[in-house]
Amino acid sequence: MNPELAALAQQVKGFMPHDEGLALYRAAAEVASLGPLVEIGSYCGKSAVYLGAAAAECGGVLFTIDHHHGSEEMQAGWEHHDAELVDPSTGRMDSLPVLRRTLTDAGLDGTVVAVVGDSVTVARHFGGAAFVFIDGGHGHAPAHADYEAWSPKVTPGGLLAIHDVFPDPADGGRPPYEIWLRALDDGYIEHDAQGSLRVLRRSLDG
Ligand code: SAH
Ligand code: MG
């Protein structure tokens, strides 16, 4: 991966350990010339830098989707709340300005398209993707809704990545692990694992 982008990614606010980000980059780079990459959960753009680096290398594109109002666990009083991301004029969380700055700093404005909206609504109007990375809401309903909306969009031979998959309940919430199990049950094939990142391949005949 481009060392400048690797260095920048590590400075961006967010939830992507560097070793997992590099695994995300490698997986995306395998398929970025075959079709668009999609990310659910842009936040401040940390993982988008790893994915965008892969897209930029082959003239591909990343659509990164977020409503930018934060997941349930990011609201005031919750574990992952960051008061710096609250828009004082609305009192609501808004990570879009930081995402935009990240993409500009990374020189990825021509490669990464920020889609601002609800992921399931976007999915309804979206065609196929060579790569889908699910890292949006981690509650039961949002995680399963993202899986149901986006897993059929992965083109045969393409890759599905899921973040925060914790087989041991002591390490974290269940829903990302549950949707990883669903993907295996639906015929996806294990492709890579790094930390809590899981990458699966959609078989060519499914
Ligand atoms: N990938 C990021 C972290 C994402 S955090 C990183 O590397 O740091 C999860 C994000 O999902 C939050 O920014 C939240 O706003 C977004 N999100 C949650 N539910 C969503 C939904 N239904 N539609 C769009 N975005 C959603
Ligand atoms: Mg995550």
Side-chain angles (χ1 to χ4, degrees):
M1 174 172 174
N2 174 317
E4 283 169 29
L5 290 182
L8 182 115
Q10 290 174 83
Q11 282 159 30
V12 176
K13 186 181 286 210
F15 306 97
M16 183 52 64
H18 189 52
D19 57 344
E20 297 176 30
L22 291 175
L24 196 59
Y25 160 80
R26 282 194 303 272
E30 282 182 46
V31 295
S33 63
L34 305 177
L37 313 179
V38 171
E39 166 174 69
I40 298 114
S42 326
Y43 193 51
C44 298
K46 195 178 189 69
S47 44
V49 173
Y50 294 99
L51 294 171
E57 274 168 26
C58 65
V61 64
L62 166 68
F63 292 93
T64 184
I65 303 163
D66 202 309
H67 52 43
H68 288 285
H69 290 313
S71 307
E72 189 184 27
E73 58 275 12
M74 292 170 164
Q75 305 306 318
W78 289 69
E79 186 187 354
H80 294 295
H81 183 61
D82 184 338
E84 280 176 21
L85 294 177
V86 174
D87 177 347
S89 67
T90 62
R92 284 191 87 180
M93 222 193 99
D94 184 7
S95 46
L96 179 59
V98 185
L99 172 68
R100 187 181 280 284
R101 200 183 326 130
T102 299
L103 296 179
T104 301
D105 289 350
L108 289 170
D109 284 323
T111 301
V112 181
V113 178
V115 180
V116 181
D118 169 62
S119 60
V120 170
T121 307
V122 176
R124 239 177 250 136
H125 303 278
F126 203 93
F131 182 97
V132 170
F133 174 47
I134 298 181
D135 192 24
H138 287 33
H140 182 88
H144 283 269
D146 278 338
Y147 177 74
E148 285 160 21
W150 283 101
S151 63
K153 306 289 180 180
V154 179
T155 49
L159 298 176
L160 172 68
I162 304 172
H163 200 220
D164 305 301
V165 171
F166 298 111
D168 183 345
D171 296 328
R174 302 277 79 201
Y177 175 65
E178 290 165 6
I179 65 172
W180 177 69
L181 291 179
R182 276 182 82 173
L184 292 173
D185 203 45
D186 287 343
Y188 275 88
I189 299 147
E190 285 187 76
H191 181 66
D192 195 16
Q194 178 70 51
S196 73
L197 180 75
R198 295 290 180 279
V199 183
L200 305 122
R201 186 180 292 282
R202 183 165 176 183
S203 67
L204 277 168
D205 53 15

